[in-house]
Structure formats: C-alpha cells, structure tokens
Amino acid sequence: MIDYRKKATVPVWTLATGDVRVPAVTGDEPMTAERLAELRGVLAALANEPIATLEVHPLPGKLDRSRGIPLDAVSPLAQNLSQLVTQSARSSSTAAATAAGEGLFRMVVPAKVAAQFGQGIVRPMAAKGAAGVIRGPLVDSSGKIVGAAKFVPVGKAAAAGAVGGAGATAGVAAAGSAALTVAAPLVLMAIAVGVSANADAKRQEAIVHITELLEQLHEQKLEDERSELDGCRDAIDKATAILLDQGKLGVSLGLDSAVHAINTALGRADHRLARWRSALGKLPDGEPVEIGTLTESFPGVDDHGGTFRAHLELAALAVALKRRVNVLQAVEHAQSEPDNLFGNFTRALKRDQQRLGELESGIAGVLVRLSALELARPNSLRPVFTTGEVDRLLRATHRIHQLGDGVTINSHTTDVAIEIARDKDGSVVVFPALPA
C-alpha cells in the first residue's frame, strides 16, 4: 500500500502511441486523482491514437515481486522507461527526483484501448484470504487508490528507443499541450508484459485448483491433460524472454508443440461446453431437477470436487496459456513492422481474442444457469427422508448456487493499470495488468 502522505507530488506523463493532435487539456497545474481520471477519458475520446498516462510513486518497502515478470536494465522496456525519465529530468524538477532512483511506475491505458485486447483479458484477481481485495501494490485495504497526492504533469520529454531495434516515433506530439509525449515502444512493451503476467497469474491459479481437485479424483486422463498443458509453460516462458529482449523466435523453442497442445485443450473445452449446453437445454423449464439427473451430465457438480469442476479449471488453464501465446504473436507482428508498432500489436492480439471470449462467455452462461436451478427432492417410496438425505440435498443446493458467484458475462471494459517496479540499477519487474 502506498502512503501518499510521504510524497505529496507525483509526476505524470501523458504518452501517445503516434503523432496526434488534441486540444490543450492537460495544462501545467497539479491535479487530483479524480481530475487525472477525467483527463484520461478526455484524451481517449479526442485523440485518434491510444494515449496512456504514467505515474511514478515511491517503491513500497514490502513488495511481492514473485507475481511479476522481471526484466534486466538492457531490456527494451527498461531502457525506454529510463530514457523517458532521464530526458524529462532535464526540463522538469518534478521528474528529476526519479531520474536515477527507484520507484513504482503505474501506466494506465484507457478503456477505449483496452477493449482492443479482447473482452475479459484483464479482470480483478481477489487476494488470498481477503474477499474483495484486488491484488496490486498501489491499492489500500479497501481495494481503492487513496487520493491525497498532487499529480503534476511532466512536459517537453521524449521517449527514445524502439521494439525490434528499429527507429520508432519519439518526441513531443503535435498537440495543443507540450506534455503529450510520443512513446509507442514504451506503451507497447508495458502492455505486452503486463497482459502476459496477468495471464500467467491466472495459469498459476488454475494449476493450484486443478491439482487440488485431481488429488481427490484420481483420474489419470484428467491428470494427463493437466500435465500436457502445464508442460507448455517452459516453451512459453523462453519465447517471452526472447521477444522481450528483441530476439527472434526459432523452432528449437518448442513453441509450435505448445500451441498445438493448447489448441487441443481448447477443442476439448469447446466440445464439453457443447455437451453442457445440450444437457441444460433438455431440462424442463421452471421445474425442479433431481440431483441424480444433474450429475449424469455434470458429474460431481453437487460436491466440493468432481470431474465437472476439474473440466472448468482445465478450460481456464488452456485459456490463460492461449492468452500468453496471443501476446507473444502480437509482439512478434509489431516488431516485424516497427513503423506501425501499436496498430500491428492490437490487430494481431484482437484476432484471436474472439474465440477465447466466446468460450469464456459460454462457460459463464452455463454456470449462471446451473446456479439458478431448483433441486427436487429425490424420488422415494418412503414418506420421510433420512437426516443424511436432507443434509446432502442442502449441501448440494448450496454448492450449485455458488457456481454463479463471481461469474461475469459481457463485463464492461475498464481502464487497465500496469504497475512497474524500477530498481536503482535500471532493472524492472512488471506486475499483472489490473482494472484501474
């Protein structure tokens, strides 16, 4: 958690991904957090190129770096960030204090741009043991950013460098305010690493859930599915490291095999979703359903574990891995045409998001419909039920109704925040992208 009372002034850069013209809406005066949020909305609405904001805060004393992706000081993202801060310090006393030191940078990409990444790619992740708390270094115990700081615009700065080693646009945009800086490589790499870290966090969460379920089920086929998917991580991690260091992907990485395994798993998920929808379609409308009838198509749905829940987690794992691969492919496309970095990135990433969005939305619809079902009393010749039968019915009802908890269908796209911890040596750790 950041205590803004320790540092009342927060430098803020407005970063464009192309040469844009917008009215002079930023100014030079300090802003509140609310005013900064309004400014982002105005810039997103008026500019024809994506515009992000970048803040820098003191680095927290306790920071769980294991959740992020580390990059050394010579990586493109770290270099672009260092160059932005160094050049800004020449003309801004506000930015000068951060030029050589450590800090926690927070880039916010507007919802208008975040929608291009694919619906559902960035969602809140609840912290363990704290319901409703969103993971992230900048949030307080209520999950909100406290707003006692003064956000001061930093102007007349240019971010140099480019992804792929080619010269990208860099400089002050042709805008009504000199505080608008063209920094496409920095924005691109921050989004790429933040989204990749977000997908990997979801992969880790899915693996934990699947492992717990399989320990109860002892299902070898499901164990094989889990192992095959988790085995893709090594190739994806290596490909991520190579691309983020401006390298070229080769067949020796095994990424093609990993993609095949992930696509196979997504095919299984599609097939299972079709079966679930068909089973729900055969249930009588508005009538209670017996547990036995429900478990024929959804085995273990009334239990804490169960095959159905394992299938859900396997689908979530496949989606998370596919999202990481999609980001890699998008970065590779952007690097191949450095004069059109951000456009190539968003187009490549958006193409493959539709299928994943439809799969997630379909599964969410099944869970919502299951959670709304009314369970019938089991057929019996006996006039009364045993205590065990009553307890089972109550437990099953509770667990089935819980399936709809936290499920989001067609969620509203929000601004996306990407937090970057920068050390004194220039190395960075990029944390999972979160809703701003």
Side-chain angles (χ1 to χ4, degrees):
M1 181 182 75
I2 298 296
D3 185 356
Y4 286 112
R5 291 171 296 182
K6 294 181 180 179
K7 184 177 182 180
T9 302
V10 176
V12 179
W13 292 263
T14 46
L15 307 178
T17 59
D19 193 4
V20 296
R21 292 182 179 274
V22 294
V25 293
T26 56
D28 300 318
E29 297 299 320
M31 298 176 287
T32 62
E34 292 76 16
R35 172 59 182 157
L36 181 60
E38 292 175 1
L39 171 64
R40 283 196 296 265
V42 171
L43 290 174
L46 296 179
N48 56 3
E49 295 285 348
I51 295 177
T53 58
L54 179 70
E55 316 154 17
V56 58
H57 303 268
L59 196 63
K62 295 181 180 180
L63 193 61
D64 181 10
R65 296 169 182 263
S66 64
R67 298 185 299 106
I69 294 180
L71 299 172
D72 59 34
V74 298
S75 66
L77 173 59
Q79 286 185 330
N80 277 288
L81 183 60
S82 294
Q83 289 170 15
L84 171 70
V85 176
T86 300
Q87 294 178 25
S88 300
R90 298 171 184 169
S91 58
S92 170
S93 58
T94 303
T98 66
E102 59 188 13
L104 187 61
F105 291 79
R106 184 174 189 265
M107 182 180 291
V108 179
V109 182
K112 177 181 177 181
V113 180
Q116 299 176 7
F117 306 156
Q119 190 74 7
I121 196 169
V122 175
R123 287 176 180 166
M125 292 185 62
K128 272 192 173 181
V133 178
I134 305 302
R135 294 177 181 171
L138 286 177
V139 296
D140 62 10
S141 58
S142 67
K144 298 179 180 179
I145 297 176
V146 289
K150 292 181 179 179
F151 296 85
V152 180
V154 179
K156 299 180 181 178
V163 179
T169 52
V172 178
S177 171
L180 193 61
T181 302
V182 180
L186 176 58
V187 177
L188 165 68
M189 296 305 288
I191 292 173
V193 186
V195 170
S196 185
N198 178 278
D200 192 56
K202 292 179 180 178
R203 179 201 64 81
Q204 294 180 41
E205 191 175 37
I207 281 290
V208 170
H209 292 163
I210 294 170
T211 302
E212 293 174 351
L213 291 171
L214 294 183
E215 286 175 354
Q216 303 172 38
L217 290 172
H218 304 289
E219 286 280 353
Q220 187 59 47
K221 289 184 178 180
L222 294 180
E223 177 70 37
D224 291 342
E225 286 187 40
R226 189 276 304 268
S227 299
E228 187 177 12
L229 277 175
D230 201 33
C232 300
R233 179 190 176 187
D234 185 58
I236 294 175
D237 285 348
K238 288 178 181 176
T240 301
I242 289 174
L243 277 178
L244 296 182
D245 285 336
Q246 296 183 333
K248 297 292 183 181
L249 298 182
V251 294
S252 61
L253 286 174
L255 191 59
D256 288 346
S257 299
V259 171
H260 174 72
I262 295 168
N263 287 339
T264 300
L266 289 173
R268 291 193 188 105
D270 283 328
H271 180 65
R272 287 164 181 161
L273 175 59
R275 286 206 325 256
W276 297 337
R277 283 172 162 168
S278 175
L280 286 172
K282 294 176 182 177
L283 297 179
D285 291 333
E287 295 183 18
V289 181
E290 287 190 33
I291 295 178
T293 301
L294 203 59
T295 54
E296 287 179 5
S297 301
F298 304 91
V301 69
D302 60 328
D303 202 352
H304 178 68
T307 302
F308 172 66
R309 295 173 191 265
H311 286 165
L312 291 176
E313 295 299 338
L314 284 167
L317 175 58
V319 168
L321 289 170
K322 184 64 173 177
R323 289 206 191 282
R324 284 202 71 184
V325 170
N326 286 347
V327 172
L328 292 178
Q329 293 171 337
V331 172
E332 190 174 24
H333 280 294
Q335 287 180 347
S336 66
E337 294 185 39
D339 292 333
N340 188 18
L341 284 174
F342 206 87
N344 279 334
F345 175 76
T346 53
R347 282 193 297 272
L349 190 56
K350 187 177 181 181
R351 277 196 296 267
D352 282 337
Q353 297 306 324
Q354 186 173 358
R355 178 190 177 190
L356 297 181
E358 290 173 353
L359 176 59
E360 286 188 312
S361 178
I363 292 175
V366 167
L367 294 178
V368 168
R369 187 168 176 190
L370 279 173
S371 68
L373 291 177
E374 179 184 354
L375 294 185
R377 298 170 59 182
N379 289 325
S380 176
L381 297 176
R382 291 178 286 112
V384 295
F385 297 98
T386 65
T387 303
E389 289 174 331
V390 173
D391 288 343
R392 185 196 174 195
L393 181 62
L394 291 175
R395 285 196 303 269
T397 300
H398 177 67
R399 285 169 178 159
I400 290 173
H401 287 172
Q402 280 185 319
L403 289 172
D405 293 349
V407 172
T408 304
I409 300 178
N410 297 326
S411 60
H412 176 67
T413 304
T414 65
D415 291 355
V416 172
I418 299 150
E419 294 162 3
I420 306 169
R422 177 175 178 254
D423 292 320
K424 292 181 179 179
D425 63 358
S427 62
V428 297
V429 176
V430 185
F431 294 95
L434 295 168

